[in-house]
Amino acid sequence: MKTGDQELVKKINKSIVLQTIQASSPISRAQISKESGLNKATVSGLVSELMEEDFVLEIGTGLSSGGRKPVMLYFNQTAGYAIGIDLGVNYILAVLTDLQGQVVEKIEEPLEETFPGVVLPMLKNIINTLMETQPASSYGVVGIGVGVPGITDNNGSILFAPNLNWEQVNVKQDLEQYFELPVVIENEAKAGAHGENIHGAGRKSSDFVYISLGIGIGTGIIIDDKLYKGARGMSGEMGHISIDANGKKCRCGNKGCWELYSSESTLLEQAAKLPSMEGKELSLNQLIQEAEAGNGEVLSLLSRIGEYVGIGLTNVVNTFNPEQIIIGNRLSKIQRWLENPIHHVLEQRLLPPFYEGLEVSFSQFGIESCALGSAAFSVEAFFSENKVTVT
Amino acid sequence: MKTGDQELVKKINKSIVLQTIQASSPISRAQISKESGLNKATVSGLVSELMEEDFVLEIGTGLSSGGRKPVMLYFNQTAGYAIGIDLGVNYILAVLTDLQGQVVEKIEEPLEETFPGVVLPMLKNIINTLMETQPASSYGVVGIGVGVPGITDNNGSILFAPNLNWEQVNVKQDLEQYFELPVVIENEAKAGAHGENIHGAGRKSSDFVYISLGIGIGTGIIIDDKLYKGARGMSGEMGHISIDANGKKCRCGNKGCWELYSSESTLLEQAAKLPSMEGKELSLNQLIQEAEAGNGEVLSLLSRIGEYVGIGLTNVVNTFNPEQIIIGNRLSKIQRWLENPIHHVLEQRLLPPFYEGLEVSFSQFGIESCALGSAAFSVEAFFSENKVTVT
DNA sequence: AACGTTTGTTTATTTATTAAACATAATAGC
DNA sequence: GCTATTATGTTTAATAAATAAACAAACGTT
């Protein structure tokens, strides 16, 4: 049981000060005091600690508003760095970000084989390369976050990743031993949701659901600006909600799962059957080209997929009553063709009070949300160890 | 922005002390100190405040374990009372509970008409009767909680209650003016979920979903021991998750909603079509009698309903990965016949890690969860005003 | 140059927790 | 029955953090 003491008070207030600086930098001590409600003296004390820790810098003076000039404070976002990885089914996307989540370096490599024995050494290589490119800083790389396309438990093990054909692989332990840095493993959709919440389209919302439309469908649930993980860390498998109780069998055991009707796999499968696609390459990019060229068959296929996305989203909204839905991952590339059918279905199927307050957005950074979210996990773990909490 | 100060620390610790007393009464000051990690002196101080406020009583001494005898402390659960209402579709169930949630008085009346003009005066009457029966106490009735079968917003308005045929009725304002007491209005399933979390089958779980199987299906989502309300207070309409995307239309606008396959209405509707039920009364109790008498048609109907409950629960579990599912409201009466088909479907359709950690329970107090949960809302509101928080 | 204003620091006060000392009251061993 | 030991609960002094108030510094205005 966590009791209350002065240390807790200080941690809360120090976090408030740092967050205020992050949000409104450059900002003076006086203004922090006004915005936060903390006493000027308190702010001064906490700021000087933050400066000793190199998280905050004084840079020059601001404009006077009829009195002494304020000393402006900045969040020192390059006091350290984090590495975020999106371990995709057929690619690895790795980023080096600063403490604010700004991408400093980026590596993307295709993944030909998915055996752990191939992937893990490759992963270590990529991380090593990023480590070497990091600029000099007080804290260096503070942690590594990895988003994976599968079900993870709370210990950083990948229990089941059907698309990689992995079972029971403990990536966390492996990487932590090798790099001697804290490692966070999280499901790809959960990491993406977090990325959007911290840096992306979900910054303004505190309750939203991120839908990762990729090879399969995953969801990340943000409640009160926190990721909801579920009892054993496996929440959000809404791709396996049955939208046709007696539909075709899914490999998860259920029947008529949502992702059988509106994922990238399904899209490509169904495209293969179109006469107009005969002999052509079957890829998302090819389909986009066809759609742009006005291929009617492809257009109506995309529209049908969009409708099924909408049907699944109806379920999401009735469940969570979120302020916002954010659609990310590969199929966010075909936003143009999905948007209308989605809205049409939602308007038709939702009760007005559910539809009215709802915003449906697409990811701002397309495929990068996952890597950015993973890096953000590491940054937060680092700060919370340092007796500060940062959103 | 809520900053940290000593008041916050005290509130946290005072809550810990009170909660410890509630959970383990009778208990000594020394033992509270050991269990909570708070210093003996701190505990002594906080206890004496709680005694001044009449929330805690000293009652005699306990057994010595080789030293001075401990003074035993009790939570004074009759320092005040709360009223909890379950406004059902065809009944009103009202309880007067003490601060611990013990039912002191109970009134149940059938509801023949559902016009607000009829229901509200009746409600006031019932509440008045309960008020008169309350024993003498320090704080008297501290609040009124009402669970309603419909969608509420965060202001205590009932936006939409199809089964009562209500729209935009502000019960909270009405009752608060009349009784001059704080009133909490909440959806029936959310109140039920909270009731189970505080007093019932969900006491040990911090993440579970309560399924209210009544005329329709509602759900209450408990995350981290807190009710999840959604952006506008309308979360948990999982009865309107489509389990057959192209199924028959529901009045909510969606198609193939779960509650069209496994609610009490559906059960009765389908029972009406059974040859063996011709000329018999169509009610849940009658069906229970038939089942007990071994009516094969009814038994297979119940089994089919159970399977569809299971199909919906699969969706719930894939979404939330809860530790527990609690089934409550009217259909919890037919637990005997639902249990097997539900488990069968879950085992078949869920991935093993989802099924393994999962407990499926039925409500301990059947229909009373909602009224108890509503009363509990009021008790908590009262305590949080008194600078103490109680779960 | 005098005045008022804003910024940031210093000082004294307040409040809550805690460790340590203490008083109290019981059991256990001899 | 006496003493040693042990557990309970209170008192006292120390500590830590926030805050109000006073103050010093720096600036613009008149």
Side-chain angles (χ1 to χ4, degrees), chain A residues 231-242:
Chain A
R232 298 171 68 175
M234 309 184 296
S235 73
E237 286 300 327
M238 295 189 86
H240 296 285
I241 278 197
S242 171

Side-chain angles (χ1 to χ4, degrees), chain A residues 200-255:
Chain A
R203 259 169 312 177
K204 296 153 291 129
S205 301
S206 47
D207 295 271
F208 70 88
V209 180
Y210 172 82
I211 316 283
S212 165
L213 291 183
I215 307 284
I217 298 184
T219 53
I221 302 158
I222 301 289
I223 289 179
D224 216 14
D225 280 319
K226 267 184 13 225
L227 184 66
Y228 171 64
K229 301 176 77 161
R232 298 171 68 175
M234 309 184 296
S235 73
E237 286 300 327
M238 295 189 86
H240 296 285
I241 278 197
S242 171
I243 61 169
D244 182 359
N246 302 307
K248 67 176 165 182
K249 265 210 99 158
C250 177
R251 61 182 155 187
C252 78
N254 207 348
K255 289 180 185 169

Side-chain angles (χ1 to χ4, degrees), chain B residues 218-273:
Chain B
T219 54
I221 303 158
I222 301 289
I223 289 179
D224 214 14
D225 280 318
K226 268 187 6 230
L227 183 66
Y228 171 64
K229 301 176 76 162
R232 297 171 69 175
M234 309 184 295
S235 73
E237 287 299 326
M238 296 187 86
H240 296 285
I241 278 196
S242 172
I243 61 170
D244 181 0
N246 301 307
K248 67 176 164 184
K249 265 210 100 158
C250 177
R251 61 181 155 188
C252 78
N254 207 348
K255 289 180 185 170
C257 291
W258 181 22
E259 71 171 35
L260 300 178
Y261 298 85
S262 43
S263 61
E264 185 179 359
S265 331
T266 309
L267 174 62
L268 296 179
E269 242 166 57
Q270 296 191 2
K273 293 182 197 148

Side-chain angles (χ1 to χ4, degrees), chain A residues 28-30 34 40-41 44 65-68 70-71:
Chain A
S28 69
R29 291 167 174 83
K34 275 178 210 149
K40 289 191 296 177
S44 271
S65 57
R68 175 171 162 181
V71 178

Side-chain angles (χ1 to χ4, degrees), chain B residues 6 9-10 13 38-42 46 64 66-69:
Chain B
Q6 307 249 56
V9 170
K10 190 165 183 180
N13 291 340
L38 289 167
N39 187 281
K40 289 192 294 175
T42 310
L46 295 174
S64 159
R68 173 173 165 180
K69 280 185 187 165

Side-chain angles (χ1 to χ4, degrees), chain A residues 67-356:
Chain A
R68 175 171 162 181
K69 280 184 189 166
V71 178
M72 303 314 270
L73 303 169
Y74 285 72
F75 172 56
N76 184 13
Q77 56 188 93
T78 57
Y81 296 88
I83 289 175
I85 315 269
D86 175 8
L87 180 49
V89 175
N90 37 30
Y91 62 90
I92 293 181
L93 173 65
V95 295
L96 179 76
T97 76
D98 62 27
L99 296 178
Q100 187 80 286
Q102 287 294 319
V103 176
V104 176
E105 201 63 47
K106 183 163 122 183
I107 298 179
E108 192 170 358
E109 286 197 13
L111 207 58
E112 323 263 291
E113 294 202 71
T114 66
F115 302 111
V118 177
V119 176
L120 291 177
M122 203 173 139
L123 198 58
K124 286 177 189 162
N125 252 330
I126 294 179
I127 295 174
N128 267 324
T129 311
L130 284 180
M131 298 278 261
E132 283 160 20
T133 66
Q134 70 173 302
S137 65
S138 311
Y139 293 97
V141 168
V142 300
I144 301 167
V146 186
V148 298
I151 297 174
T152 66
D153 66 11
N154 288 324
N155 304 322
S157 255
I158 297 173
L159 294 182
F160 182 55
N163 292 318
L164 292 174
N165 217 357
W166 285 16
E167 263 180 60
Q168 300 283 358
V169 183
N170 197 331
V171 184
K172 180 182 159 88
Q173 205 184 326
D174 189 12
L175 293 182
E176 273 184 347
Q177 272 177 14
Y178 186 87
F179 290 104
E180 295 184 334
L181 278 176
V183 172
V184 180
I185 308 290
E186 193 48 274
N187 165 269
E188 156 268 325
K190 289 200 185 70
H194 189 238
E196 294 291 341
N197 190 26
I198 301 297
H199 305 300
R203 259 169 312 177
K204 296 153 291 129
S205 301
S206 47
D207 295 271
F208 70 88
V209 180
Y210 172 82
I211 316 283
S212 165
L213 291 183
I215 307 284
I217 298 184
T219 53
I221 302 158
I222 301 289
I223 289 179
D224 216 14
D225 280 319
K226 267 184 13 225
L227 184 66
Y228 171 64
K229 301 176 77 161
R232 298 171 68 175
M234 309 184 296
S235 73
E237 286 300 327
M238 295 189 86
H240 296 285
I241 278 197
S242 171
I243 61 169
D244 182 359
N246 302 307
K248 67 176 165 182
K249 265 210 99 158
C250 177
R251 61 182 155 187
C252 78
N254 207 348
K255 289 180 185 169
C257 292
W258 180 23
E259 72 171 37
L260 301 178
Y261 298 85
S262 42
S263 61
E264 184 178 1
S265 330
T266 310
L267 173 63
L268 295 179
E269 243 167 57
Q270 297 191 1
K273 294 180 198 151
L274 299 177
S276 64
M277 290 299 293
E278 243 193 75
K280 295 185 183 158
E281 187 206 1
L282 277 174
S283 72
L284 188 57
N285 284 333
Q286 180 65 32
L287 286 175
I288 292 175
Q289 273 181 33
E290 294 289 324
E292 278 170 348
N295 179 331
E297 280 178 358
V298 169
L299 286 173
S300 76
L301 170 59
L302 291 177
S303 168
R304 200 164 63 243
I305 295 280
E307 279 169 25
Y308 274 102
V309 172
I311 287 170
L313 289 184
T314 307
N315 292 340
V316 173
V317 175
N318 279 322
T319 301
F320 289 104
N321 176 221
E323 323 170 46
Q324 196 182 12
I325 296 274
I326 302 175
I327 296 172
N329 209 340
R330 311 223 343 133
L331 292 202
S332 65
K333 284 190 189 172
I334 53 171
Q335 168 174 10
R336 274 174 64 186
W337 297 283
L338 294 181
E339 215 156 20
N340 280 332
I342 287 176
H343 273 282
H344 187 234
V345 169
L346 286 178
E347 193 170 2
Q348 211 167 37
R349 291 187 174 231
L350 283 174
L351 279 174
F354 282 85
Y355 184 66
E356 278 156 21

Side-chain angles (χ1 to χ4, degrees), chain B residues 174-363:
Chain B
D174 189 11
L175 293 180
E176 274 186 346
Q177 271 177 14
Y178 186 85
F179 290 104
E180 295 184 334
L181 279 175
V183 172
V184 181
I185 308 290
E186 193 48 275
N187 166 269
E188 157 268 327
K190 290 201 185 71
H194 189 237
E196 294 291 342
N197 190 25
I198 301 297
H199 303 299
R203 260 169 311 178
K204 295 154 288 127
S205 301
S206 48
D207 294 271
F208 69 88
V209 181
Y210 171 82
I211 316 285
S212 166
L213 289 183
I215 307 281
I217 299 182
T219 54
I221 303 158
I222 301 289
I223 289 179
D224 214 14
D225 280 318
K226 268 187 6 230
L227 183 66
Y228 171 64
K229 301 176 76 162
R232 297 171 69 175
M234 309 184 295
S235 73
E237 287 299 326
M238 296 187 86
H240 296 285
I241 278 196
S242 172
I243 61 170
D244 181 0
N246 301 307
K248 67 176 164 184
K249 265 210 100 158
C250 177
R251 61 181 155 188
C252 78
N254 207 348
K255 289 180 185 170
C257 291
W258 181 22
E259 71 171 35
L260 300 178
Y261 298 85
S262 43
S263 61
E264 185 179 359
S265 331
T266 309
L267 174 62
L268 296 179
E269 242 166 57
Q270 296 191 2
K273 293 182 197 148
L274 299 178
S276 65
M277 289 300 292
E278 240 192 80
K280 294 185 187 161
E281 187 206 3
L282 276 174
S283 71
L284 188 57
N285 284 334
Q286 181 64 34
L287 286 176
I288 292 176
Q289 274 182 34
E290 295 289 324
E292 278 170 350
N295 179 331
E297 280 179 359
V298 169
L299 286 172
S300 79
L301 171 59
L302 290 177
S303 166
R304 200 165 63 242
I305 295 281
E307 279 170 24
Y308 273 102
V309 173
I311 287 171
L313 289 184
T314 308
N315 291 341
V316 173
V317 174
N318 278 324
T319 302
F320 288 104
N321 176 222
E323 333 173 33
Q324 195 183 12
I325 296 275
I326 302 176
I327 296 172
N329 208 338
R330 313 229 334 140
L331 293 200
S332 65
K333 285 190 187 173
I334 53 172
Q335 169 174 8
R336 275 174 63 187
W337 299 283
L338 294 182
E339 215 156 21
N340 280 333
I342 287 176
H343 273 284
H344 187 233
V345 169
L346 286 179
E347 193 170 2
Q348 213 170 32
R349 291 185 174 231
L350 284 175
L351 280 173
F354 282 85
Y355 184 67
E356 279 155 20
L358 181 68
E359 185 187 340
V360 179
S361 338
F362 284 72
S363 171

